[in-house]
Amino acid sequence: MDASWIWLGVAVYVVIALAAAVLSRRGASRTMSDYFLGSRRMGGFVSAMSYSATTYSAFMMIGLAGLTYAGGVGALGFELLYLCGVTLMLIFGPRFWRVGQAYGYVTPTEMIGHRYRSKAAGATTALASCLFLIPYAAVQLAGVGYLLSGMSGGAITFTQGTTVATVLAIIFAMIAGLRSVAWTDSLQAVVMIVSASLVVILVIRQLGGLGTFFDRLAADPGALSVPGTGYFTFSTFLALTLPWIFFMISNPQVSQRLYTPGSLRDLRRMMLGFMAFGFIYTMITVVWGLTARLEFQDLASGDQATPTLLASGLVPLPLGIIVMVGIMAAAISTIDSIMLTLSSMVSRDVYAPAARRLGGGEHASADHASAGHSAEGRQLLVGKLVIPVIAVLAYGFAHLQLDLIAVLSVSASAGLLVMVPPIIGAFFWKRGTAAGVITSVLVAGSIVLYLEATSTRFLGQGSGVWGILAATSVFILVSLATRAPAEHAEDFIKTSRRRRKAGSTEPTPGAPAIATGSQR
């Protein structure tokens, strides 16, 4: 495909997305809650579309399509199990929302620090999240690089593609924080699903219809069976699936969104909208990958399946450009969401406690309200300054150009599995302690890093399996050996199950209290 058409599509997307981002600015974002959570007043539709665009990134149309190309229909089972894992949202979604309203949390790691009565626990989980999420952001940048390069036949370089994605992600995140990201996400989600659906319909028609399509697949011995060509062995399937089952609570850029809806009704709409979007988009992506498998049997990498299909004569040029923009937009929406989440955690859970220690307490001023606003302003400034730093780190990692985006995405998420035991314990186990959180994250995180760095599959299993087993064991054993904040834990758990009455909220240490009466 001619590179000039691709650049034209990118230019149109930039203009429309920038307009949506700028129009989303309603008043100045003066607080952490305004900037990073959209003032906790996001509606159901916008929340659902933003959540979908954040979750379904370059992993889907580049990564999952590539995985389907390489391993056949087993990729469908892998992704459907992720959707089954999304049912965790029914259990944890309302609990996250209620405690966020009651205690004024801005980040999931701030919640961990408060629940276990330990700033160190919050800082440890925040830094661990940075360690594993930056590579995940890099995967999205790489997805854009592969997409533009593949569609243009190399006329647009990988570096040019990743540079464009990085700059746009920074701009969208900086304009108005979550508001601009959420509104551009909503626009992008609609483009993603409509354009991808049209392409699948048109391509299958050109291949002779559904009957011919499935007859050809049946003739491919590895397409419709598991393990098919041998790619999806049990251990491979488990290693890929396990991080995705817990993705909703282990990935902070996703769980942070549970603080943003304006009401429980909006939260429910977000859940239902996301699950419907996810099922449709999964089926489209798998069919896409199977189509590429039939038509292009000698690709060097599965990640080239989507770019090759879009650049082929099977897809009309205008529609191919629109789909390309949708995939690019999906990747950028995930990147800027990760940047917002990580910058808020660095500011809230690392910088703020350190500043209080060095300053002898930021609220030691005689004018308590003035000191609180000043501290909040400094945290917000630090958060904004961290955004481009995270982007540069992800950009550097993306240029390692490691293989298979889907596998890299899962590897990054495998490290975040170490957050699962402390989060489940926060809501359901009063005996959990800060020492258990810190030790489990450090020990299990180190194990995952070692296994990934050395490409070791101990007893044939992936790093995520050993990570979550180690995290669970260490968290339980160390917690049982140390003293738990039982009274505070009971109060937290009760709050997560029902709304508190107005006036009974307890502020997070160093965070503004969010009174329930102030919410819509």
Side-chain angles (χ1 to χ4, degrees), residues 267-406:
L267 179 68
R268 286 192 290 271
R269 288 173 177 168
M270 181 182 84
M271 295 179 192
L272 293 173
F274 169 73
M275 294 182 78
F277 184 101
F279 179 76
I280 295 170
Y281 205 54
T282 294
M283 300 305 296
I284 289 170
T285 304
V286 170
V287 171
W288 192 297
L290 290 172
T291 302
R293 183 184 176 96
L294 292 177
E295 292 297 305
F296 315 106
Q297 299 178 2
D298 56 352
L299 297 181
S301 169
D303 290 338
Q304 293 298 318
T306 289
T308 303
L309 183 61
L310 289 178
S312 71
L314 292 172
V315 181
L317 177 62
L319 189 55
I321 295 294
I322 293 172
V323 174
M324 176 207 73
V325 167
I327 298 170
M328 179 178 172
I332 291 173
S333 73
T334 299
I335 299 163
D336 51 33
S337 294
I338 290 174
M339 291 194 306
L340 282 174
T341 297
L342 292 184
S343 61
S344 66
M345 290 194 297
V346 170
S347 174
R348 193 73 158 187
D349 306 317
V350 180
Y351 162 75
R356 280 192 293 273
R357 284 196 302 271
L358 294 174
E362 288 190 15
H363 298 302
S365 168
D367 186 349
H368 183 87
S370 175
H373 287 304
S374 176
E376 184 86 359
R378 285 195 292 271
Q379 290 177 31
L380 182 57
L381 176 60
V382 169
K384 290 180 178 180
L385 292 175
V386 169
I387 287 174
V389 175
I390 293 170
V392 170
L393 291 173
Y395 179 83
F397 195 92
H399 279 256
L400 296 176
Q401 296 192 41
L402 302 174
D403 198 20
L404 266 185
I405 282 179

Side-chain angles (χ1 to χ4, degrees), residues 148-486:
L148 299 186
S149 176
M151 287 189 65
S152 66
I156 299 175
T157 66
F158 179 86
T159 298
Q160 289 173 324
T162 54
T163 300
V164 168
T166 303
V167 172
L168 290 177
I170 293 173
I171 292 173
F172 293 153
M174 295 291 286
I175 287 177
L178 184 69
R179 281 198 192 97
S180 64
V181 169
W183 280 96
T184 54
D185 279 358
S186 299
L187 172 65
Q188 290 161 183
V190 173
V191 172
M192 285 162 57
I193 199 162
V194 171
S195 59
S197 300
L198 288 174
V199 166
V200 166
I201 293 170
L202 287 175
V203 168
I204 288 180
R205 284 187 61 185
Q206 290 200 48
L207 294 179
L210 278 175
T212 303
F213 176 70
F214 282 109
D215 286 343
R216 291 184 61 186
L217 285 177
D220 183 341
L224 297 179
S225 62
V226 179
T229 57
Y231 184 87
F232 283 109
T233 63
F234 174 76
S235 60
T236 299
F237 191 81
L238 180 62
L240 288 171
T241 303
L242 191 59
W244 251 229
I245 290 176
F246 293 102
F247 188 87
M248 175 258 153
I249 60 174
S250 65
N251 280 245
Q253 82 278 12
V254 176
S255 59
Q256 188 180 42
R257 295 300 178 93
L258 300 176
Y259 297 144
T260 64
S263 66
L264 279 172
R265 178 181 295 179
D266 289 328
L267 179 68
R268 286 192 290 271
R269 288 173 177 168
M270 181 182 84
M271 295 179 192
L272 293 173
F274 169 73
M275 294 182 78
F277 184 101
F279 179 76
I280 295 170
Y281 205 54
T282 294
M283 300 305 296
I284 289 170
T285 304
V286 170
V287 171
W288 192 297
L290 290 172
T291 302
R293 183 184 176 96
L294 292 177
E295 292 297 305
F296 315 106
Q297 299 178 2
D298 56 352
L299 297 181
S301 169
D303 290 338
Q304 293 298 318
T306 289
T308 303
L309 183 61
L310 289 178
S312 71
L314 292 172
V315 181
L317 177 62
L319 189 55
I321 295 294
I322 293 172
V323 174
M324 176 207 73
V325 167
I327 298 170
M328 179 178 172
I332 291 173
S333 73
T334 299
I335 299 163
D336 51 33
S337 294
I338 290 174
M339 291 194 306
L340 282 174
T341 297
L342 292 184
S343 61
S344 66
M345 290 194 297
V346 170
S347 174
R348 193 73 158 187
D349 306 317
V350 180
Y351 162 75
R356 280 192 293 273
R357 284 196 302 271
L358 294 174
E362 288 190 15
H363 298 302
S365 168
D367 186 349
H368 183 87
S370 175
H373 287 304
S374 176
E376 184 86 359
R378 285 195 292 271
Q379 290 177 31
L380 182 57
L381 176 60
V382 169
K384 290 180 178 180
L385 292 175
V386 169
I387 287 174
V389 175
I390 293 170
V392 170
L393 291 173
Y395 179 83
F397 195 92
H399 279 256
L400 296 176
Q401 296 192 41
L402 302 174
D403 198 20
L404 266 185
I405 282 179
V407 176
L408 288 175
S409 297
V410 175
S411 297
S413 294
L416 293 171
L417 278 173
V418 303
M419 308 295 177
V420 171
I423 291 173
I424 293 177
F427 292 106
F428 296 103
W429 195 42
K430 299 176 186 177
R431 282 291 291 113
T433 68
V437 172
I438 295 170
T439 309
S440 65
V441 169
L442 292 177
V443 171
S446 298
I447 289 173
V448 171
L449 284 174
Y450 172 78
L451 293 177
E452 288 295 330
T454 59
S455 300
T456 300
R457 295 179 66 86
F458 185 62
L459 297 180
Q461 302 303 318
S463 63
V465 175
W466 300 112
I468 195 167
L469 287 176
T472 303
S473 302
V474 173
F475 175 66
I476 292 174
L477 292 174
V478 174
S479 292
L480 291 174
T482 52
R483 185 176 179 180

